[in-house]
Amino acid sequence: MKIDQVSDSVYVVAGTNVNWALVSDERGVTVVDAGYPADTESVLSSVRQIGHELGDIAAVLLTHAHLDHIGAIPTLVERLGVPVYTGAEEVRHAKREYLQQITPVDMVRQLRTRRGAVWVAQTLRACVGHIGMTVPTARTADADILAALPGGFVEVPTPGHTNGHTAYLMPSEGVLFSGDALVTGHPLLLETGLQLLPSVFNHDEAGTLASARALCTVEAGILVPGHGLPVRHDLSSLLGDFARP
């Protein structure tokens, strides 16, 4: 686990090949995404390491309900009753009314390369015993609820990676949490820099590309992706240059 403070209030935490973020102010902490199941203790520890108690967690904001983003949520809900907010359509995905996730067959195909085999092994270890995980308490939040959370957020619908994928903007500090709509690195990518995830992860490739392009219009100076390093730059110019490897 590595914690990187990217603004006055925002901490980005790198776990098992995935990021979550902690947004801290006088109202408490908002957790943006929650790592793999095996990252649960690291998620809890990261809150303490930035000077808070677990009881300070006001909510989890979920960009999308893939296993590498929901891992600590059951613990946070069971121990603390933390509310979980996500996009309106993603609520259905979080409750597993349907599933949009890399298939076992596609996982096996990654074994053809050494890079892919390492990623598969790491992923299986991070998910073992929790493949069927759901988020039954997931719900939507209106604009007033999002604005009142620690940090204060505005949702940015970014369908494609999943139907209900949602990015979040923190206007007060110009931070954009892009989830998996736009990333800067991943074990299966050959290069770092702004780009889409490999198509095997995206439910709707055209939609993913359209959402990434739409992020070009968001006024933000810091990008916090679901995978890869944060980017500190004027995103109005930088986001237009992302490319698929």
Side-chain angles (χ1 to χ4, degrees):
M1 180 180 68
K2 179 179 180 296
I3 301 177
D4 181 16
Q5 185 172 3
V6 298
S7 72
D8 289 345
S9 304
V10 178
Y11 301 80
V12 181
V13 190
T16 306
N17 297 326
V18 69
N19 301 329
W20 60 91
L22 308 173
V23 182
S24 168
D25 67 17
E26 68 281 356
R27 293 169 289 185
V29 179
T30 301
V31 179
V32 183
D33 289 334
Y36 277 104
D39 289 320
T40 295
E41 289 305 315
S42 293
V43 172
L44 303 182
S45 176
S46 66
V47 174
R48 298 186 183 102
Q49 287 190 42
I50 67 166
H52 281 276
E53 300 298 329
L54 296 182
D56 296 336
I57 301 173
V60 175
L61 275 187
L62 184 62
T63 60
H64 65 295
H66 282 163
L67 280 173
D68 55 338
H69 293 258
I70 66 174
I73 288 177
T75 296
L76 293 173
V77 172
E78 291 165 12
R79 289 191 192 176
L80 304 164
V82 173
V84 181
Y85 301 115
T86 191
E89 179 58 32
E90 198 65 12
V91 168
R92 297 180 58 226
H93 187 215
K95 294 180 178 181
R96 294 300 187 253
E97 294 179 18
Y98 59 86
L99 180 62
Q100 295 175 338
Q101 191 159 270
I102 187 171
T103 67
V105 171
D106 284 329
M107 288 280 286
V108 170
R109 287 174 178 154
Q110 307 313 310
L111 297 173
R112 296 170 182 170
T113 68
R114 182 180 183 281
R115 180 186 294 268
V118 170
W119 174 79
V120 169
Q122 292 171 336
T123 300
L124 292 177
R125 285 196 298 270
C127 294
V128 63
H130 300 279
I131 299 299
M133 180 181 287
T134 69
V135 188
T137 61
R139 60 186 189 266
T140 59
D142 62 26
D144 290 340
I145 290 174
L146 291 176
L149 291 177
F153 298 87
V154 175
E155 71 172 13
V156 184
T158 43
H161 182 67
T162 65
N163 284 353
H165 190 287
T166 304
Y168 296 95
L169 175 66
M170 181 181 163
S172 62
E173 295 180 11
V175 182
L176 176 63
F177 302 87
S178 63
D180 287 0
L182 190 60
V183 302
T184 63
H186 186 275
L188 296 186
L189 292 170
L190 299 179
E191 299 179 356
T192 58
L194 288 168
Q195 57 197 299
L196 305 184
L197 281 172
S199 59
V200 70
F201 294 113
N202 300 322
H203 177 70
D204 176 358
E205 185 74 354
T208 305
L209 180 59
S211 288
R213 288 174 172 162
L215 290 176
C216 299
T217 66
V218 177
E219 293 186 9
I222 300 171
L223 176 74
V224 176
H227 303 271
L229 295 174
V231 175
R232 301 168 181 84
H233 202 284
D234 177 5
L235 298 183
S236 63
S237 61
L238 192 60
L239 285 177
D241 295 333
F242 76 90
R244 173 178 295 290

